[in-house]
Amino acid sequence: MHELGVLNSMVHTIERIVKEQNITEVSKLVIEVGELSGIVPRYLEQSWPAASYKTFMEKTQLELIVIPGIVKCKGCGRVFNAVYSDLCCPDCKSREMEILEGDDMIIKEIVCC
Ligand SMILES: [Zn+2]
């Protein structure tokens, strides 16, 4: 489980950003997590209390938006959700695909009060 490490570095990044803006409190943090990012949203939620403990974001609410893992089949061109199709094209059964979205994790919004 590398979610805690991911969150730790995210807290440091955000800390640097908000210090530059002279902000001392963040009420809500919105993160977009792609289904193909290798990050498990449930683990992110579980790790958040530990990652934010004794930081300026201890009271920050974490909101996750899960982005579907959409891919395009290199065989027939069909666009589909890779997770629901078990990483296999529902039409031609090819496993060669190009990721269109859902393979990364980004900080969508930092809400300050
Ligand atoms: Zn196909």
Side-chain angles (χ1 to χ4, degrees):
M1 189 168 113
H2 57 291
E3 281 75 8
L4 182 58
V6 169
L7 284 174
N8 275 333
S9 56
M10 190 173 277
V11 168
H12 288 305
T13 305
I14 295 169
E15 188 168 27
R16 210 179 53 227
I17 297 170
V18 299
K19 267 185 182 159
E20 283 168 11
Q21 311 283 331
N22 286 322
I23 294 161
T24 51
E25 239 180 89
V26 175
S27 58
K28 190 163 85 170
L29 174 65
V30 186
I31 297 175
E32 278 188 0
V33 194
E35 283 180 333
L36 302 173
S37 65
I39 310 241
V40 183
R42 192 161 49 89
Y43 290 166
L44 276 184
E45 276 171 350
Q46 287 171 358
S47 304
W48 181 243
S52 59
Y53 182 67
K54 292 213 187 275
T55 72
F56 75 107
M57 297 212 321
E58 197 166 6
K59 294 193 177 106
T60 304
Q61 180 201 345
L62 179 70
E63 184 180 322
L64 299 176
I65 300 169
V66 178
I67 305 298
I70 304 297
V71 297
K72 185 178 179 183
C73 174
K74 283 185 179 171
C76 68
R78 175 163 174 161
V79 174
F80 60 98
N81 183 306
V83 176
Y84 293 131
S85 311
D86 198 24
L87 300 175
C88 176
C89 175
D91 283 347
C92 71
K93 307 297 174 202
S94 168
R95 288 187 178 273
E96 295 279 311
M97 54 196 76
E98 177 195 340
I99 297 173
L100 298 183
E101 64 175 15
D103 64 340
D104 55 10
M105 171 173 145
I106 61 161
I107 299 169
K108 179 79 176 168
E109 210 180 334
I110 299 170
V111 184
C112 308
C113 25

